């Protein structure tokens, strides 16, 4: 038996906001909520449009329009001569006690907890010293880039509106292939290259392709949080292999997890400690992959930014058969481009491409055209030379400032990248220091959370990519008293 809807009940649920044209959507939404929450049940008769209009003080045509919209959406039925009712085919919802409409608390799968933790841990730091990966204004997309971009936008509007090749623009893959062969010693053909929206996506594509829950991955300890959080969310077991001054020791990894399917490594510039993987360790890692038919994922995130000498050649170039190579333009151009790439071993290419398609149908097309021209016309190599010299100077200046202002602390020697590591004594709380510094307008990353287990290592990661000497000096002036204070109780 359907019940007659009490018009007073409808009106009592609040006054509709009468801001002219918005009255119909507002009434529709009110009725949808009432139906979905069980306040109105399947078969319930609604008041006539005339009565409801009077009740709400709105025009009758507004009520009629709202009813028509909800009939079209399937919430309401109109029967000739019987007025308008809540659609009888809708399932009945338990009416909540009282008038409050509370959102149900859904049972979420366990993965959602690790994803929510990622969302809170990955709040981007504001672009203040010493946030990481902020490109320097002097070197970020230059006038050549801007000119090429204008030309691309003006000349190819029709093509730019389509999906494009999900593997990446062929012209860009060719240009990238030339660059990777000559500058990174990577062995590849254009058909092995898959454009990504950055290394973070490349890591996801690789993990999705190679690993299933129950599999084990070897990761460096400490490691990039974007990798460990990703593997956690996918239910992958991790063996955290401690790194030493030569990088990851695969013999140790093999002892810890003999059947590991994949090793994720940063051979050119370990994140976050900064050393390269030594040649004996590289060869041992490649031999492990061959012996076990396992895979290596090489994250080459800022290898181009080596200052004193040429960049270290990629691991992939020694033997690429079992290596997925990941590169990014985030460090050397700008993270906002969301452009990176992977080089697939031929046997894995179809699966990696499938995973990349499922994670997003392709990278932004206009930027791919611009980047292809930027690489082909030689601007990228010139840009890299400029970036290296600007960042080398910023690194020198930050190092001098830190040594001068904090002579009791040690800076990890570094000839590469966009950040420095300031070691702290083990009794100092790097997480609390970062929190205090951020409250005073200085952004830092703590070292200790990059370790898997509670670890004695403490330190601060200071990005110097995008800041002037004046900004860095002012930030150090803020940082010094915070560090002095944190040190005092232990003196
Ligand atoms: C070690 C490492 N790998 C990967 C990434 C992700 O880079 P992308 O912006 O290309 O996704 C970062 C970003 O900071 C990183 O530090």
């Amino acid at each position: 038996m359907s019940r007659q809807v009490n018009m007073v009940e409808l009106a009592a649920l609040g006054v509709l906001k009468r801001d002219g044209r918005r009255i119909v959507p507002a009434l529709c939404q009110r009725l949808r909520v009432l139906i979905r929450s069980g306040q109105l049940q399947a078969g319930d008769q609604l008041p006539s449009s005339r009565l409801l209009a009077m009740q709400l003080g709105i025009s009758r045509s507004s009520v009629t329009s709202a009813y028509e919209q909800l009939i079209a959406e399937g919430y309401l039925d109109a029967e000739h001569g019987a007025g308008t009712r809540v659609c009888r085919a809708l399932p009945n919802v338990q009416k909540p006690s009282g008038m409050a409409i509370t959102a149900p608390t859904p049972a979420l799968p366990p993965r959602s907890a690790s994803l929510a933790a990622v969302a809170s841990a990955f709040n981007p730091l504001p672009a203040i010293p010493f946030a990481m990966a902020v490109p320097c204004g002097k070197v970020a997309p230059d006038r050549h880039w801007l000119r090429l971009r204008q030309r691309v936008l003006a000349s190819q509007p029709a093509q730019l509106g389509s999906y494009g090749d999900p593997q990446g623009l062929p012209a860009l893959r060719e240009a990238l292939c030339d660059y990777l062969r000559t500058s990174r010693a990577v062995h590849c053909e254009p058909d092995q290259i898959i454009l990504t929206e950055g290394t973070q996506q490349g890591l996801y594509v690789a993990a999705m392709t190679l690993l299933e829950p129950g599999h084990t991955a070897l990761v460096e300890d400490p490691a990039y949080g974007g990798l460990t959080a990703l593997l956690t969310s996918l239910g992958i077991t991790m063996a955290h292999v401690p790194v030493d001054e030569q990088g990851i020791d695969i013999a140790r990894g093999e002892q810890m997890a003999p059947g590991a399917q994949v090793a994720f490594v940063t051979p050119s510039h370990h994140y976050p400690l900064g050393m390269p993987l030594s040649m004996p360790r590289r060869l041992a890692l490649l031999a492990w992959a061959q012996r076990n038919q396992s895979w290596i994922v090489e994250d080459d995130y800022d290898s181009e930014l080596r200052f004193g000498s040429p960049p270290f050649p990629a691991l992939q170039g020694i033997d690429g058969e079992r290596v997925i190579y990941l590169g990014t333009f985030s460090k050397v151009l700008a993270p906002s481009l969301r452009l990176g790439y992977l080089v697939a071993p031929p046997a894995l290419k179809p699966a990696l491409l499938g995973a990349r398609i499922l994670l997003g149908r392709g990278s932004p097309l206009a930027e791919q055209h611009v980047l292809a021209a930027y690489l082909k016309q030689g601007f990228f190599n010139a840009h890299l030379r400029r970036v290296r010299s600007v960042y080398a100077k910023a690194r020198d200046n930050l190092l001098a400032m830190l040594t001068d202002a904090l002579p009791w602390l040690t800076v990890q020697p570094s000839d590469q990248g966009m950040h420095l590591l300031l070691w702290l004594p083990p009794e100092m709380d790097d997480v609390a220091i970062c929190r205090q510094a951020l409250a005073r307008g200085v952004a830092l990353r703590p070292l200790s959370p990059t370790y898997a287990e509670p670890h004695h290592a403490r330190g601060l990661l200071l990005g110097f990519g995008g800041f002037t000497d004046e900004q860095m000096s002012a930030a150090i002036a803020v940082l010094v008293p915070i560090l002095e204070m944190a040190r005092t109780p232990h003196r």
Side-chain angles (χ1 to χ4, degrees):
M1 263 286 275
S2 64
R3 64 193 172 97
Q4 189 73 29
V5 170
N6 180 348
M7 285 174 285
V8 177
E9 188 181 335
L10 278 174
L13 281 164
V15 179
L16 277 182
K17 234 197 187 157
R18 257 169 267 157
D19 59 351
R21 289 165 301 151
R22 307 293 305 151
I23 198 72
V24 175
L27 179 55
C28 286
Q29 187 54 15
R30 174 77 53 83
L31 288 166
R32 284 188 203 104
V33 170
L34 289 172
I35 295 168
R36 286 203 298 257
S37 65
Q39 307 280 322
L40 296 181
Q41 300 275 335
D44 279 355
Q45 174 103 50
L46 267 78
S48 72
S49 55
R50 191 177 53 83
L51 282 177
L52 186 57
M54 258 171 50
Q55 185 90 34
L56 296 174
I58 62 178
S59 74
R60 189 172 172 191
S61 65
S62 296
V63 177
T64 316
S65 301
Y67 280 3
E68 280 168 0
Q69 174 64 24
L70 294 181
I71 289 167
E73 290 178 17
Y75 281 97
L76 303 180
D77 272 339
E79 283 166 29
H80 192 66
T84 308
R85 291 169 183 271
V86 178
C87 178
R88 284 205 179 81
L90 289 177
N92 265 332
V93 179
Q94 198 84 47
K95 186 177 175 179
S97 55
M99 295 304 288
I101 298 168
T102 47
T105 4
L108 297 174
R111 175 176 296 172
S112 63
S114 54
L115 292 175
V118 171
S120 58
F122 274 68
N123 281 340
L125 290 174
I128 50 174
F130 296 99
M132 315 265 281
V134 176
C136 174
K138 273 188 254 173
V139 295
D142 58 12
R143 65 194 162 86
H144 302 296
W145 180 278
L146 299 177
R147 184 177 49 78
L148 290 170
R149 190 160 198 284
Q150 264 180 346
R151 196 179 294 170
V152 164
L153 291 178
S155 65
Q156 313 196 1
Q159 285 173 38
L160 294 182
S162 67
Y163 271 122
D165 183 341
Q167 191 176 339
L169 191 71
L172 175 56
R173 287 191 277 116
E174 273 162 34
L176 254 177
C177 197
D178 285 346
Y179 164 72
L180 289 172
R181 283 185 194 143
T182 52
S183 299
R184 302 294 308 117
V186 168
H187 284 302
C188 61
E189 296 299 328
D191 193 46
Q192 285 172 262
I193 296 180
I194 299 174
L195 265 290
T196 63
E197 289 172 29
T199 294
Q200 188 63 45
Q201 191 180 56
L203 291 168
Y204 208 130
V205 166
M208 194 174 164
T209 306
L210 301 174
L211 292 163
E212 290 179 2
H215 280 180
T216 302
L218 301 180
V219 295
E220 297 160 323
D221 191 25
Y224 174 53
L227 169 67
T228 47
L230 165 65
L231 296 177
T232 303
S233 77
L234 294 176
I236 306 302
T237 307
M238 279 176 273
H240 301 272
V241 189
V243 297
D244 59 21
E245 66 287 349
Q246 290 191 60
I248 188 173
D249 181 357
I250 196 63
R252 181 86 192 273
E254 208 166 5
Q255 281 167 2
M256 292 169 72
Q261 281 80 6
V262 186
F264 289 86
V265 289
T266 47
S268 292
H269 189 220
H270 174 265
Y271 185 88
L273 301 182
M275 66 291 198
L277 186 62
S278 72
M279 187 49 77
R281 296 272 177 91
R282 286 176 186 236
L283 297 176
L285 181 62
L286 291 165
W288 162 83
Q290 284 292 354
R291 203 169 50 244
N292 294 286
Q293 296 296 287
S294 301
W295 300 97
I296 298 165
V297 179
E298 176 176 16
D299 175 355
D300 207 29
Y301 67 106
D302 64 4
S303 59
E304 300 91 343
L305 297 176
R306 188 146 184 254
F307 307 129
S309 350
F312 293 108
L315 177 73
Q316 195 270 7
I318 305 174
D319 176 2
E321 200 184 318
R322 306 205 67 82
V323 178
I324 297 167
Y325 174 88
L326 304 179
T328 179
F329 288 99
S330 288
K331 311 289 171 178
V332 288
L333 279 167
S336 58
L337 284 176
R338 302 318 302 144
L339 278 178
Y341 46 91
L342 66 81
V343 178
L348 278 184
K349 147 80 192 305
L352 289 165
L353 179 57
R356 198 268 171 263
I357 290 170
L358 290 182
L359 285 173
R361 293 278 299 261
S363 300
L365 205 47
E367 270 66 27
Q368 290 190 63
H369 278 281
V370 180
L371 184 55
Y374 197 70
L375 282 161
K376 267 218 164 92
Q377 294 176 31
F379 296 124
F380 184 62
N381 280 329
H383 172 81
L384 274 184
R385 284 194 291 277
R386 195 167 55 246
V387 174
R388 274 190 207 113
S389 92
V390 170
Y391 289 165
K393 209 170 283 164
R395 188 270 322 256
D396 289 348
N397 292 347
L398 176 58
L399 184 59
M401 288 179 209
L402 289 171
T403 315
D404 188 44
L406 296 159
W408 52 281
L409 291 176
T410 310
V411 181
Q412 175 74 22
S414 167
D415 191 31
Q416 192 167 337
M418 293 166 75
H419 73 268
L420 282 177
L421 167 59
L422 182 65
W423 287 104
L424 299 179
E427 64 277 7
M428 285 175 74
D429 182 345
D430 51 3
V431 175
I433 289 168
C434 289
R435 212 178 302 122
Q436 289 168 29
L438 190 59
R440 291 172 175 76
V442 176
L444 306 155
R445 293 253 182 232
L447 175 67
S448 60
T450 62
Y451 285 87
E453 301 292 336
H455 195 274
H456 63 269
R458 298 283 180 278
L460 302 173
L461 299 164
L462 290 83
F464 54 76
F467 311 111
T468 62
D469 288 352
E470 291 69 34
Q471 284 176 306
M472 294 200 290
S473 161
I476 288 178
V478 172
L479 192 55
V480 169
I482 296 173
L483 291 172
E484 295 284 358
M485 186 76 96
R487 173 199 195 194
T488 308
H490 306 287
R491 267 204 291 208

Coordinates of all heavy atoms in Angstrom, one line a residue, residues 132-133 196-203 224 266 269-271 299 301 327-331 335 338-340 419, ligand 1:
M132 N 61.2 19.9 -2.9 CA 61.9 19.2 -3.9 C 61.3 19.3 -5.3 O 60.1 19.6 -5.4 CB 61.9 17.7 -3.6 CG 62.2 17.4 -2.1 SD 63.9 17.0 -1.8 CE 63.9 15.3 -2.4
A133 N 62.1 19.2 -6.3 CA 61.6 19.1 -7.7 C 60.9 20.3 -8.2 O 60.0 20.3 -9.0 CB 60.7 17.9 -7.8
T196 N 54.8 7.9 -20.9 CA 54.0 7.8 -19.7 C 53.7 9.2 -19.2 O 54.2 10.2 -19.8 CB 54.8 7.1 -18.6 OG1 55.9 7.9 -18.3 CG2 55.2 5.7 -19.0
E197 N 53.0 9.3 -18.1 CA 52.7 10.6 -17.5 C 53.7 10.9 -16.4 O 53.4 11.5 -15.4 CB 51.3 10.8 -17.1 CG 50.3 10.8 -18.2 CD 48.9 10.8 -17.8 OE1 48.6 11.2 -16.7 OE2 48.1 10.3 -18.7
G198 N 54.9 10.3 -16.5 CA 56.0 10.5 -15.5 C 56.4 9.1 -15.0 O 55.7 8.1 -15.2
T199 N 57.4 9.1 -14.2 CA 58.0 7.9 -13.6 C 57.0 7.2 -12.7 O 56.9 6.0 -12.6 CB 59.3 8.1 -13.0 OG1 60.2 8.5 -14.0 CG2 59.9 6.9 -12.3
Q200 N 56.2 8.0 -12.0 CA 55.3 7.4 -11.0 C 54.3 6.5 -11.8 O 54.0 5.4 -11.3 CB 54.5 8.5 -10.3 CG 53.6 8.0 -9.2 CD 54.4 7.4 -8.0 OE1 55.4 7.9 -7.6 NE2 54.0 6.2 -7.6
Q201 N 53.9 6.9 -12.9 CA 53.0 6.0 -13.7 C 53.8 4.9 -14.3 O 53.3 3.8 -14.4 CB 52.4 6.8 -14.9 CG 51.3 6.0 -15.5 CD 50.6 6.8 -16.7 OE1 51.3 7.3 -17.6 NE2 49.3 7.0 -16.6
G202 N 55.1 5.1 -14.7 CA 55.9 4.1 -15.2 C 56.1 3.0 -14.1 O 56.0 1.8 -14.5
L203 N 56.2 3.4 -12.9 CA 56.4 2.4 -11.8 C 55.1 1.6 -11.7 O 55.1 0.3 -11.5 CB 56.6 3.1 -10.5 CG 58.0 3.8 -10.3 CD1 58.1 4.6 -9.1 CD2 59.1 2.7 -10.2
Y224 N 62.3 5.4 -2.4 CA 61.3 6.5 -2.8 C 59.9 6.1 -2.3 O 59.5 4.9 -2.5 CB 61.4 6.6 -4.3 CG 60.3 7.5 -4.9 CD1 60.2 8.8 -4.4 CD2 59.5 7.0 -5.9 CE1 59.2 9.6 -5.0 CE2 58.6 7.9 -6.5 CZ 58.4 9.2 -6.0 OH 57.5 10.0 -6.6
T266 N 67.4 2.5 -8.3 CA 67.8 3.8 -8.8 C 69.3 3.8 -9.0 O 70.0 4.4 -8.2 CB 67.3 4.9 -7.8 OG1 67.8 4.6 -6.5 CG2 65.8 5.1 -7.8
H269 N 71.5 7.3 -9.4 CA 71.5 8.3 -8.3 C 70.5 7.7 -7.2 O 69.3 8.0 -7.3 CB 71.1 9.6 -8.8 CG 71.2 10.8 -7.8 ND1 70.3 11.8 -7.7 CD2 72.2 11.1 -7.0 CE1 70.7 12.6 -6.8 NE2 71.8 12.2 -6.3
H270 N 71.0 7.0 -6.3 CA 70.1 6.4 -5.3 C 69.2 7.4 -4.7 O 69.7 8.5 -4.3 CB 70.9 5.6 -4.2 CG 69.9 5.1 -3.2 ND1 69.7 5.8 -2.0 CD2 69.2 4.0 -3.2 CE1 68.8 5.1 -1.3 NE2 68.5 4.0 -2.0
Y271 N 67.9 7.1 -4.6 CA 67.0 8.0 -3.9 C 66.7 7.4 -2.5 O 66.3 6.3 -2.4 CB 65.7 8.2 -4.6 CG 64.8 9.3 -3.9 CD1 65.0 10.6 -4.2 CD2 64.0 8.9 -2.8 CE1 64.3 11.6 -3.4 CE2 63.3 9.8 -2.1 CZ 63.4 11.2 -2.4 OH 62.8 12.1 -1.7
D299 N 64.8 3.0 -12.3 CA 64.3 4.4 -12.2 C 65.4 5.4 -12.3 O 66.2 5.5 -11.4 CB 63.5 4.6 -10.8 CG 63.0 6.0 -10.6 OD1 63.3 6.9 -11.4 OD2 62.4 6.2 -9.5
Y301 N 65.6 8.7 -12.5 CA 64.8 9.9 -12.4 C 65.6 11.2 -12.6 O 65.0 12.2 -13.2 CB 64.1 10.0 -11.1 CG 65.0 10.1 -9.9 CD1 65.2 11.2 -9.1 CD2 65.8 9.0 -9.5 CE1 66.0 11.3 -8.1 CE2 66.7 9.1 -8.4 CZ 66.8 10.2 -7.7 OH 67.6 10.3 -6.7
G327 N 62.3 6.8 -17.5 CA 62.8 8.1 -17.5 C 61.7 9.2 -17.3 O 60.5 8.8 -17.5
T328 N 62.1 10.4 -17.0 CA 61.1 11.4 -16.8 C 61.6 12.8 -17.2 O 62.8 13.0 -17.1 CB 60.7 11.5 -15.3 OG1 59.7 12.5 -15.1 CG2 61.9 11.7 -14.4
F329 N 60.7 13.7 -17.6 CA 61.1 15.0 -17.9 C 60.8 15.9 -16.7 O 60.9 17.2 -16.8 CB 60.4 15.5 -19.2 CG 61.0 14.9 -20.4 CD1 60.4 13.8 -21.0 CD2 62.2 15.4 -20.9 CE1 60.9 13.2 -22.1 CE2 62.8 14.8 -22.0 CZ 62.1 13.7 -22.6
S330 N 60.3 15.3 -15.6 CA 59.9 16.2 -14.4 C 61.1 16.9 -13.9 O 60.9 18.1 -13.5 CB 59.4 15.3 -13.3 OG 58.1 14.8 -13.6
K331 N 62.3 16.3 -13.8 CA 63.4 17.0 -13.2 C 64.1 18.0 -14.2 O 64.5 19.0 -13.8 CB 64.4 16.0 -12.7 CG 63.9 14.8 -11.9 CD 63.4 15.3 -10.6 CE 62.6 14.2 -9.9 NZ 62.2 14.5 -8.6
P335 N 57.9 19.2 -13.7 CA 57.0 18.1 -13.3 C 55.6 18.4 -13.8 O 54.8 17.4 -14.0 CB 57.0 18.1 -11.7 CG 57.8 19.4 -11.3 CD 58.5 19.9 -12.5
R338 N 54.0 16.4 -16.9 CA 53.6 15.0 -16.7 C 54.0 14.2 -18.0 O 53.1 13.6 -18.6 CB 52.1 14.9 -16.4 CG 51.6 15.6 -15.2 CD 52.4 15.5 -14.0 NE 52.7 14.1 -13.5 CZ 53.8 13.7 -13.0 NH1 54.9 14.5 -12.9 NH2 54.0 12.5 -12.6
L339 N 55.2 14.2 -18.3 CA 55.8 13.5 -19.4 C 57.0 12.6 -19.0 O 57.9 13.2 -18.4 CB 56.2 14.4 -20.6 CG 55.1 14.9 -21.5 CD1 55.6 15.8 -22.5 CD2 54.3 13.7 -22.2
G340 N 56.9 11.4 -19.2 CA 58.0 10.5 -19.0 C 57.9 9.3 -20.0 O 57.1 9.4 -20.9
H419 N 68.7 17.9 -5.0 CA 68.5 18.0 -3.5 C 69.8 17.6 -2.8 O 70.7 16.9 -3.4 CB 67.4 17.1 -3.0 CG 67.6 15.7 -3.0 ND1 67.3 14.8 -4.1 CD2 68.2 14.9 -2.1 CE1 67.7 13.6 -3.8 NE2 68.2 13.6 -2.6
Ligands
LIG1 C1 63.1 8.6 -7.1 C2 62.0 9.1 -7.9 N1 61.3 8.4 -8.7 C3 60.2 8.8 -9.4 C4 59.7 10.0 -9.2 C5 58.4 10.4 -9.9 O1 58.7 11.3 -10.9 P1 57.6 11.7 -12.0 O2 57.3 13.2 -11.7 O3 58.2 11.5 -13.3 O4 56.4 10.9 -11.8 C6 60.3 10.9 -8.3 C7 59.8 12.2 -8.0 O5 60.3 13.0 -7.2 C8 61.5 10.4 -7.6 O6 62.1 11.2 -6.7

